[in-house]
Each structure stands twice: as C-alpha cells, then as structure tokens.
Amino acid sequence: MTKWVRRRRTALVAAVAAATVLASACGAGGRSEGDSGGGAADPGITEDSVKVGAHFPLTGVAAPGYSAIPTGAKAYFDYVNANGGVHGRTIEYVYRDDAYNPTNTSQVVNELVLQDEIFAMVGGLGTPTHSAVLDFLNSNGVPDLFVSSGSLLWDQPEQNPMTFGWQPDYEVEGKIIGKYVKENFPEAKVGLFLQDDDFGRDGEKGARAYIDDQIVAAERYAPGNTDIGPQIAALQAAGADLVIGFNVPSYTALSQLTALRLNYQPQWIYSNVGSDPALVGALLGRFSEGKVTDSSMLDGAITTEYMPGVDESDDPWTQLWRKVWDAHGGEEGELSNYRIYGMAQAYTFVQALQAAGPDPTRQGLVDALEQVGGELRGPAFVPFRYSADSHAGMSGVKVVRIKGNGSEDLSPVQVTDNGDAEITEYTEEQATPPANGIPDVQPAG
Amino acid sequence: MPDSVTAAARRLLPSSVLGRNLLGVLAGLLVVVVVLELTGPFRNSQFATMSYYAIAAVGLTVLTGLNGQISLGHGALMAVGAYTTGLLLETGAVPFPVAMLAAAAVTALAGVVVGAAAARLHGPYLAGATLALAVGVPGLAIYFDGVFGGEQGLRVSSPRPPDWLADAVYFVTAGDLTSARYLAYIGWITLLAVLLLLANLTASRYGRIWRAVRDDEVAAELAGVRLGRMRVLAFVVSAACAGLGGAVLAMVVRLAAPSGFTIVLSLSLLTAVVVGGLGSLTGALLGSALLVFLPPAVTGLGTDLGLTGTQAAELAPLVYGVVLVVVMLVAPGGVLGAVHRLRHAWTRRRQGARDVGAVGSSKQGG
C-alpha cells in the first residue's frame, strides 16, 4: 500500500511541477503601464442592468427587524424595474447574510465585490460589521452608499471617499433630544442608558452639549450581556426621573422589564434606533415569556422620527410604500417600519443613479451625490448633508411621543450639524412622492 | 508503472520523516501556487479564510485528537492572537511576520496559563473551563475598550504586497498580485509551515507520548511520562497555532472585534476537526474547507432554486447542521475515518479475491 501512495505522490509532484512550469511559461514578462481609467468598463453595470449589493443580519440574534430591511429595498427595486428601470437599466439587488459578525461581513462583502461584481454597495448594516469592510470597499473603489447605521464613521470624505451615511447620525439626534429636554423638562434629573460603543458615545456627546448639568448618571451596557439590572438600579439610585436611552430594540425591551421589576417609573426617551413599537412589543412578549403581550408599556415614551412610519396611513409616502409592498413583496409578510426603511434607502439610491446620468461610472455616482445630494428630496423630513466636504446623512429629526403603534408630534422638525452647529427649525414643506412613485432626478453636471 | 521505476523513485524519496514531510510541504506549496494563480480574487479570499480556520483547526486536532483534551476556548485564543497582531501592526513599526510570531508567542503564553489549569481537569470539567475562556475573553476586549476598541474592535492595517514582489509575480504569471491573493499566500505559507512542524512533532517522541497519555494515563505514568507537563505542552503547542490563526484572521478580515470571536467560532473549529476526522491533520484541513465553502455554496444553490435571499441565508445553517448529524451517524470517525474504513474494506476484499484466485490457479496447475 505504501508503494501505491508513494507512486501517486511522485506522480502528483511531477504533474504539479509541470503545471507550474507551464504557468510560468505563459507569463508576459513585463507590466504594461497605464491601463487604469475604468470608465464604461466598471464592474456590475451593463447596457441593461446594474447590480448592487448589501450585507444584513438575516440569521442570528440581530436578525429580528433588521432582516426585513432588504426585503423592503428589494420590493422597491422590483417596482422600479417593473416600470422601466433607471435609464433603461434594471436594478439587480443581491443581499447576503453576515449574522452581525464582522468576520462574516468581510467574507460576504468579498463575495459581493469579487464574485457577484456589484457596481455599488447600498445600505450595508451595522457599525462594527460595516467598519470591517470600510477600507476594502474604499481601496477597491466601490461606492459604499447609505450605510444603515448612524455612526459618524461614514462621514470621512478625505479618508473614505466612497462611503456615505444616510440616516441622521447619533450625535445630531442626541443634540436635538438634549435641547428638547432642556426646554421641556428643565427640572428633570437625567439619567443616560447607553450602549457601550460609538452609538452610545455619539448620542451622549450630543445630549451633553445641552443638558450636561442635568445629567446625574450615565450607565453603559455591553451588547450581548442581557442582565442590565445593575445599570437600571444605578439610574434609580441616582434619582434620575428621566432616562435617555441610546440602545438597540432588544435593550429597550430589557430596560422596560427591568424597570418594571424595580418599580422604577421615569420618563423614558429612546433614540429612534431602539424605539420601533412593533418590534419592541414582540421582544417584550418573548423576554417576559408571554407575561407582557403588547407594546403598551412603551406608551408615553418619547423618541424621534425622520420619516413617516407604517402607522401613518394617510401620509402619501406610506401609501406609496404600501402600494409597492402589496405589488412586489406582499406574500413575505406585513409592511413594517424596517421594510419602509429599506424602501426609502432604495428610493435614495434610484435618485443617485439618475443623477449619475445615462452612463454611470462608480466615480461618477459618487461625484453626482456630492454635487446634488444635498438637493435630493424624498420621504425624509429633512435633506441630506452631502457635498464634496461632507458625506453625512440626514441633518435632523423631530421629537415624538409613542402612542400605541404610532406617535404624536412633540416638536417641529429640527436640523443641525455635528459639533457646535446651532439647532434650527426646518420649515421647508415635506416633498410629496412623484405620481408614479419613481423619482425623476436630472443628471448632475 | 514497472516495479523497477517505482523502486528507483522510492530511492529518490528521503528516508527521514523530516525529509519526507519537507518534500510533501514543497509539493503542497506548488499546488497552492498553481491553485491561487488559477483562481479569481474571490476564491483567493475564500482560500485565505480557509487558511486561518485550518491553522487553528490543525492545532486543535493535535490537542483533542492526539492528547485527548477537549477545548471549547480556541476561538478566544484566536482572539488573543488577532488582538496582538492588530496592536502591533497599529504601531506601524513592526513588519507583519514579526507581529505574527509575537502573536503566536503571546498566545502560547496564554496557553501555558490555561493549560496549567486545564491539565488538572478532565472531560466535561475541561470543556467547562475552556468554555469560560471563550465567553470571557471577548468580554475583556469590551471592558478595556480604550486599548482594544470595545465592541467596534480594532481596525487592522493588513499588509500590502511590496512592489518588488508584485513585479516579480507579474513577471512570472502575468497576473496582478492582488491583495486578496497576497493575503491568501501569507495564510497558506503559514499553514504549510505549521503543518510541517506539527507533522514532525506528531511523528516524534512527543506525538507518541501524547497518544500514550490519551490512551491510558496510568500506563503512561508508569512508563515515566509526567502527565501534567505533557498536557500543558500539548496545550501550548495548540494555543500557539490558534494564535497564528488569529493573526492571519486579523490581517485577512482587517478587524479584530469581539463579535468575531464568540463561542460560535470555538464550536466551528471543533466541528471542523470532528467532521474531518479527529486527530488527523488532513481531516482538519477538510473540515476547514467545509466551514468556508459549504455555506456560500448552499446559499447559492438556494437562490438558484428560487428562494429569497433571506430564506437562502437561513438554509445554510440548516444544511450545515444536517451534514453534521449525518457525518456523526454514518461516519463517527469523520470523513477521513470513513475513507480509511472503506480503503481497508477494499484492500481486504482484493486480498481475499487474490487468495481465492491463487487457490484456483494452483488447482488448475495441479
């Protein structure tokens, strides 16, 4: 038997050696210079199609809620394709699962860019996950549009020229919440409940810009650790009668249940990210093993909004999303705020692609967004801050109170910027959706 | 092939274990070069991914398969290697091979500590202790977020191919040395080096002693083996491999973040080792390949069959689980165990047939 193995191994070595020699013989010897330039030869785009991709947690702990976003985006792209596409091109949308694990994100984004050969990335989700692929996308010149996260990382045009944010960043949201508390709860002792990463840090920075002297405690939780009893008890002990939470939905549910157990009843304010009533309601039911069955616990909590949600059935945008969902995604489940989020991102991408003109290149798409991105109007209450110097997303939110699965306005829509920028009321009337539901942006430049 | 030729070829093969292993590794290197040059950037990146799983898995298979110690904490040891590499590369003063060696050294040190504790434990207790490691270490990275970057992790600047190398490769193959290919080369050259070392080690005195300890502690001790010391040694060797794997992971993924080193990673390594065939280096390679190539293949198949993206993504863990169950039912010795069994059965039948034939012909002759 050893004879067999050896004989085969020798043959293998010979074959491999021969193959190597052959491969080297095919070598060209010298490098030809100056074959860059890309142009119409950019990957992912042909005469009649353009391919975009994204990474989302479709399985695992972060999947509830977030896994619905790409289904919304897909429905809207299908809707646009059914109506003739963009400049005659249909949009092909590929999304892959990273289970909210940055190691997986790097693998699936490799797959999207190198194998699927996407033209652009649209809406990749998560701060730790997406930061794992930031360098890769930028060094490969792949437009990295509308990251689904409010981190400030996406606004670094010098370092990451291809990456753009989309939703209002957490600092801007924190500032507007801070100002609201200062004006409406001037006597309140404020406690902060923060996710221990950029999310919590940026939000805290924004809030402290206005109510630093009112804050009596700042408690942080590590995502993954589901016992937040100590943090909530510390907030209670510090006498906080108003708690601002920069946390994800599952921690909204956990903080509610923990406070219930401790008989702690402050006024809750949650950042937009953590406040979807439908999802929090479902999570409350699951965490309490059925003892809490609806989202009524969240009634009266304050949060922010930057576009109309699924409950506002009279809003023309929500009506558009419902029409799109009924036609192109209906059998996958109910329309939800997460699906609307995906559709709104897809809407912005269609605008960007239109602005890039009839023969878009990767660089052209980015240039177009820098040129006209600030003028784009869509479902959001406020404009984007896109320019050559800024890749930051929406500039503001309005403060609302949660009521059932919906909300009522507490403040007008306000806009601001990072750092010392003033908060001002935004007075421009919200745009109405185009009659056919598809934007019509003229090519830039 | 006539027997004389084989004999001549055999004479050309070195008689020492080291020599044979060296030749094997060289052959492996040739295969790696050919495969990496002939495949596209995406396959290159998959091979890079496979290399870091495999580096850690071969280390684990030595520990679990040869020495009989189970470890659910190898993901955490990979984290130690990854963070060490990240911190060192961040300074910009350290070339990456030095950072990798340092990662292996630091992880080996962690292995001494864990191994010393582990040497006193058996079976489920050992599993529990190493499980604590897997759960605890990512928490450290979150707690000391000033150094380790907290939940968002540490960005790692992965090495770019130096110009002279890129030019040399272009000269030979007319292909650009992409960063994916370069990282795959780094990963696989590391893997081959680790394989060479481990293949020698397991064929040596230490390998025999480890097996002796695994098979019968009392007998081994009677034969003069110092159990504790040998167990710790096995753990250290295995930990160093995990550290190297973590170093390659950090450079390939360009990030070291706690969510990348959950208990899932430790369990994946263990499944790779078990599915491939416990105790076998080749088996660990097979298992790692399964980890990397199966999920995208299943997702792709699902999409082709008309499933939505979400459903296709959910199919991957399902199929992975089914494969695991089937392997355990049909081939408890892993894939390699099954191959060995089939080959034994085949040789026996052939031998049987030859014996019958021999008897028949002798009858004819007589």
Side-chain angles (χ1 to χ4, degrees), chain A residues 28-50:
Chain A
R31 186 188 290 263
S32 61
E33 297 295 332
D35 54 350
S36 61
D42 269 349
I45 190 156
T46 65
E47 278 303 303
D48 46 16
S49 76
V50 53

Side-chain angles (χ1 to χ4, degrees), chain A residues 204-366:
Chain A
E204 179 182 11
K205 188 172 153 206
R208 280 196 190 273
Y210 285 84
I211 48 171
D212 197 23
D213 51 341
Q214 279 182 264
I215 293 173
V216 294
E219 289 297 319
R220 294 172 177 78
Y221 71 88
N225 180 0
T226 53
D227 178 18
I228 53 166
Q231 285 91 333
I232 302 296
L235 290 172
Q236 189 179 24
D241 50 18
L242 184 150
V243 176
I244 306 178
F246 281 91
N247 54 267
V248 292
S250 47
Y251 283 85
T252 304
L254 285 171
S255 63
Q256 287 294 320
L257 291 174
T258 311
L260 188 68
R261 207 165 56 225
L262 296 172
N263 192 25
Y264 178 40
Q265 293 160 329
Q267 169 67 49
W268 289 96
I269 302 185
Y270 288 108
S271 94
N272 178 281
V273 170
S275 67
D276 183 62
L279 179 61
V280 171
L283 289 168
L284 276 170
R286 197 189 311 162
F287 292 160
S288 67
E289 287 161 0
K291 292 194 188 71
V292 178
T293 49
D294 63 341
S295 56
S296 60
M297 273 183 90
L298 269 191
D299 254 6
I302 295 171
T303 183
T304 68
E305 272 181 9
Y306 50 85
M307 57 182 184
V310 65
D311 55 289
E312 287 158 66
S313 45
D314 296 337
D315 188 281
W317 286 100
T318 307
Q319 285 167 351
L320 169 63
W321 304 140
R322 190 159 291 289
K323 186 174 97 183
V324 169
W325 184 250
D326 287 345
H328 294 282
E331 67 268 26
E332 283 181 57
E334 286 297 302
L335 184 65
S336 66
N337 281 336
Y338 289 98
R339 296 200 159 110
I340 289 183
Y341 182 99
M343 290 191 201
Q345 272 183 339
Y347 186 91
T348 317
F349 177 71
V350 170
Q351 289 180 311
L353 197 60
Q354 287 175 338
D359 292 306
T361 60
R362 283 174 161 178
Q363 191 56 46
L365 184 64
V366 167

